[in-house]
Every structure is written in structure tokens, then in C-alpha cells.
Amino acid sequence: MSAGVEETDIASPLNSAAATEGTGNATKATRPTAPTSRTTGANVRAGGPTRTPRPANGAAGATRPPASRAPGPTRTPGPVRGMPRPAPSGTQPVGYKSGRRSVLRRYCVPITTTILVLASIVVIAILVKVVLDNYYYFCLKSFKFIPLDKWCDGKSDCSGDEDESRCVHRVEVDSRSSVVRITEQASLLQLYMISTQQWSWICSDSWDSNKAKAVCTQLGFSGDPVFSHVPTTEVDTRSASIFSTVQQLSNRELQVVPVSGGRCPSGTLVSLRCTVCGASHKRERIIGGSDSTIENWPWQVSLQFMGQHVCGGSILAPHWILTAAHCFKGQEQVDRWRIQVGMAKLTFLFGSQVDKIFLHNQYVYDQKPYDIALMKLKNDLSYSGSVQPICLPGFNSNLPPSATLWVTGWGNTQEGGSLATILQQVSIRLISYETCNSQYFNQIQSTMLCAGREAGGADTCQGDSGGPLVSYGNSSRWEQIGIVSWGDGCGRPGKVGVYTKVSSYLDWIYGVMKREL
Ligand code: ARG
């Protein structure tokens, strides 16, 4: 609309006058002889020059009139003061419209400028934070920055040990303090009699849910346990020497009382599960792997350090994740870790926060034994079809030679390759200690186990570490036999994968969980 352009063009100098004289509208209304065109406006003003288009090079001054010209803008001025302003020909009155425009201009420009300035400040602040986060740690109490490599380096650099307070810790558990164990077969309960230094079977007589809870507390589980009664006749009872009942003492302590005659009056033993675990839709079954769904392996999690997938892990309880200790080498800052659960596609947003990380006290970085760690989450996970705990094996778990096992993870799909985006699964077999030790020059200890294919082609790889090696147990539940730990290359013939043997570390796992109850 050409009228609009005309108005806009002359409004600027008027606006600045209005700012000193009153409201824009009032000022405009009292100006006389509003020009209907630039030439008219120029004619009204004595001595005012005819506005000529600005030269493209901006040398407007060259066409300006001499200095003797009456003071006033070189641009075509607005209407003369004191005269009503006629409406521009062919348009309706514009006082209201132009007033609105000038109000817009008065408020919009400063608001937009403010928003832009604030946005720039936010962007700069984010950049500064990113740079600082990548190079420095800020000690809140002593209000100073320290280089990032001093954070969690074992030496205190901030006052109050602040830089060393949220790092991994090494935990020692005295296995002599453990008094509860669960058998592999039928999850039968055994308690230790300190007085006679014997393990005892527990008869179902006088057993109840309070006692079940008290026993599970000893193993670090706080949820509702499930128990059942198994006839003694169905059990190979050689792994414990006596039979007892349990008496609950008032101070929540349990007392083991041997039964006279050496047999349970009820003829049944207590089978106890401190958590419902190992349930998957899968009934059988990374290099050489295939895409899977998380519902098949709902205990599988991704451990992420500063938004990068580093290792796998498995859910043991609503706030406990089992993994490998070597995952934390150079990455000991607890608050930089997140756990992703319930998804097969690797994603990096909204992971669960970590409260504490525990490494086995005897683990040494770059060495192979004791490669086990537990992560305690800040908030409990809520279980669903895609988030479920895996069962721990019994203390006497013993797989048949060449047992079929499954391993899962997002690790490299080729030696030296890149991570998988979809969770991979692969079926491998248990490999004997003899074979494995001949492949690895006798480095395989009884606390490790080997699994893979001697011909190669199916194995775990970098990025799978910490993940679960599972078997479908005889109790029709999946249980975790191993933790992905190390190997020479990935999937090479004659070099199988080596795993931390979970059943060797049950006392450590239960001991850490119990400590934190
Ligand atoms: N250490 C590796 C990791 O950090 C896992 C290696 C497993 N290697 C093997 N050949 N199975 O992810």
C-alpha cells in the first residue's frame, strides 16, 4: 500500500519529536498541513529542499542545500504544527493506525533488543559452561576452579575434599560375614551357624514372610520376597550338613535352631527369591550377532559417560546395576554417568542419574581379575515389560560343559569398528578352562569364565564390557553367569571372550547392596 509507505517514511523524525512533546498521536493531530506527498510537504516548508533519492554510495551530503538553510531536518518534514492534519487522499483517516505503529515501534524495538541481548548472554553463558565443564571442575566451597584431571584423582584439591567426594569407591566385603546363601537348584535357602561353623538347610516349619524379609535384608534386597516349599526328597541335600528352623528374635535377628532327628518335620525346605527376576519373552536364545528387542533382554542397560555409550550393564534391583570395574578407568566422576534402560535403540537423552559407584577393592585398572562393579541409582527404576531385573546365580552354580549362553550389547560390531545402534544378541558356548588357558597363556583364573566359539565370528567387543552373559537356568528363569570383561581382539579364531564369573562374587555383590540398605 503506497500510502503506508509514505507514512512510514516520514514518521521517523516526527516520532522523535513526539517523544519530547507528548504522545505521538496528540502531536500528529496538531500538526498542520500534513503533506499528501513529499513534494507537497517540501513546498510547505520555506526553504526546504525537494527530497531527492539518496545516491547509492551514500554521499547524500553532496546534494544538500547550503548552510544558510533554516534549521530542520534535510528529510521532508512532517505537517506544520497547529494545523489539523488532513487525511491522505484516497484513504480513510490514519491517526489510529499510525498511532498503533508508533506504539509498536516504541515497545517492540526495545523488547526485541532486550530479547536479543538476553539470548546472546544465554548463548555465551552456555559456551562458557561447556568450555569450563570440559577443562575445569568448580569447587563450590572454596570457590575456585581446578583442572579436570584433578577431579577424582585420589588427592584432595578443594576444601572439604569436595573434588574427591563423588567418585567411585572401592569396597571390601568380608566373605566370612555372609551368613545367607541360595542354591542354584530350586533357589533353596541355607543359613550359616556361627557356633558350629556349618551351613544348614532351612525347614519350612514356622517359616513366614517376616522371616523371608529378614533374610533378604541380609542379601541387600528390600522388596517383597517370594518363597515356596520344596520336598526334601526332591533335593540333593549334600551341600549343607544339617537341617534347622528359624526363630525370629525380638530385635529382628534370626536364630538358627537345628531340628532334632536331623529331618524337617514338614518334610519341606524353604525356597526363597528376594526378587522376581529373569523373566523375558524369550525362551532360548555382537560380532556375528543380530538385532534384538529390549523385551527379550529387559535387564540390559547402557552406561553412558558425558553422553557417550561406554559399557553395558544389567539391572539387579530397582536401584542396582551390575557392570565391569574397568569401565570406570579415567571416568570416576559419579555425576557424569547416566544409565539408559528400557530401550533397544541407543539413545542419550534422559538417562537415570547415579548416586554411587562401587568397584571391587582388589581391582586394579589394566589388570584382569576382580573386574566387577556396582552402580547405585539415585531413583528406583520402575519395572515394565522392557525394564526387569536379571537373576543372580546360586552359590553352587555349575554349568554343563559347552552350555549355551547368550550375550547382549551395543558394542562394536567388528574389531576396530563402530557401535551398534540397535541392541545386538549372540548365542555362544561355555568354553572349558583348559581350552581357554591354552588360548590365553594360563591367565584364566577360577573367578573368570570363557565363552565364545573356537572358530571365532561370534563374540563380544569394545563397548559390550560390563554387559550380561546369561543362561536360561533350570528354574526357567534367565540368570547372569558372567560380566563381559576382556579378550584378544574380537571374534578372532582361537581367541574367545573372557568374562567375570558372577558366582565367585556373590558375597561381594550382596555385601555391597546390604551396606547401602
Ligand atoms: N574390554 C572390552 C570393553 O571394554 C570388552 C572386550 C571383550 N572382548 C572380547 N573379545 N570378548 O568393552
Side-chain angles (χ1 to χ4, degrees), residues 310-311 326-327 371 411 440 451 459-466 484-492 495-499:
V310 174
C311 272
H326 80 258
C327 297
D371 194 6
Y440 286 113
D459 193 8
T460 42
C461 200
Q462 268 53 48
D464 288 319
S465 278
V484 180
S485 182
W486 60 281
D488 190 353
C490 306
R492 297 184 187 174
K495 293 285 179 189
V496 295
V498 188
Y499 297 77

Side-chain angles (χ1 to χ4, degrees), residues 339-357:
I339 309 291
Q340 289 287 352
V341 305
M343 42 88 214
K345 189 171 185 314
L346 210 48
T347 44
F348 301 95
L349 286 177
F350 311 117
S352 306
Q353 291 185 310
V354 179
D355 185 25
K356 292 180 184 171
I357 299 174

